[in-house]
Amino acid sequence: MSTTWTTDDGIDTMGDMGGIDNPARLGTWPAYTAAMWGLLFALPSFVWATGNTFGARSTVAPSLVRLAEDGVPWFVAVLWATGCLKLVGSVIGIGLTRPRGRRTSRLLVGCGSGAAVLLAWHGGLFVVQGALAETGVVSVGQETAGLTRWYLCLWGPWFLIGGLAFAWAVVRYVRRHRDRRELRLYGAAGAFGALVLSLAATAAGIG
């Protein structure tokens, strides 16, 4: 089975499911960046799930650190689940590096677009909330007072980088695919669904 890609100069090229004729032309580095982002971000979740809170004490809310240290079952399950989801994100990034079948492309573009919106939204909230707290516009509790700078300078930008990487990877994938009009619809659907989920979570005070 083969998939047709369109290069920047408008010439169609055929890439089989096993590789790409000219991967440099396809500009796959944003997709690899997204994949690496997901892999790196999964590691802390798995480490913290074992009760080792290295790196979390000064950068994460103390209440969450205590849950990890005490090995609270439901929280440990959440950490394992989020770690696995981040690995799924890494797989999506890898999937966007080369041509895939029609159904797979739909899934990759829809999920990749959703991930881009979720991550960008989450990162943006961290940056805004951190900036407001650091400038004294809003007040925060004593327990989290020392964390606002981390959310402003570390977690917020980290999520934004992930969101931009997925967004760029999806855009480059769609632009080079023969069915780009159809894939744009799937990308829009994934992004819209993620936006609705993000708004609902923010309204409910989650995240």
Side-chain angles (χ1 to χ4, degrees):
M1 182 176 181
S2 61
T3 303
T4 302
W5 290 71
T6 304
T7 61
D8 290 333
D9 54 12
I11 301 174
D12 288 343
T13 58
M14 298 299 294
D16 61 28
M17 298 299 288
I20 300 175
D21 291 337
N22 191 347
R25 294 289 302 273
L26 295 178
T28 56
W29 70 266
Y32 281 116
T33 299
M36 183 59 67
W37 184 95
L39 179 61
L40 292 176
F41 201 28
L43 292 178
S45 294
F46 292 134
V47 171
W48 297 341
T50 65
N52 186 332
T53 55
F54 174 78
R57 289 182 176 275
S58 59
T59 63
V60 179
S63 59
L64 299 180
V65 174
R66 287 193 293 270
L67 290 173
E69 290 178 334
D70 295 340
V72 178
W74 69 265
F75 188 69
V76 172
V78 168
L79 287 173
W80 281 108
T82 54
C84 290
L85 285 174
K86 293 167 187 176
L87 289 182
V88 170
S90 182
V91 172
I92 292 172
I94 292 295
L96 291 168
T97 60
R98 66 195 227 182
R100 310 289 172 177
R102 189 174 183 181
R103 292 182 179 178
T104 303
S105 292
R106 292 172 178 173
L107 182 63
L108 289 172
V109 170
C111 292
S113 298
V117 171
L118 284 173
L119 294 173
W121 178 276
H122 212 58
L125 283 181
F126 279 162
V127 169
V128 171
Q129 292 171 351
L132 292 177
E134 286 296 309
T135 55
V137 175
V138 298
S139 58
V140 295
Q142 183 176 0
E143 187 180 59
T144 57
L147 299 174
T148 56
R149 188 166 298 177
W150 286 106
Y151 280 83
L152 172 63
C153 301
L154 174 62
W155 296 120
W158 177 253
F159 275 89
L160 286 173
I161 290 171
L164 290 174
F166 276 100
W168 199 345
V170 168
V171 168
R172 295 188 73 90
Y173 187 89
V174 172
R175 283 181 59 191
R176 288 161 173 77
H177 204 286
R178 186 174 186 178
D179 299 323
R180 50 186 173 273
R181 290 186 178 179
E182 180 185 49
L183 291 181
R184 286 192 187 110
L185 293 178
Y186 280 86
F192 180 75
L195 180 59
V196 171
L197 180 61
S198 299
L199 289 170
T202 301
I206 302 174

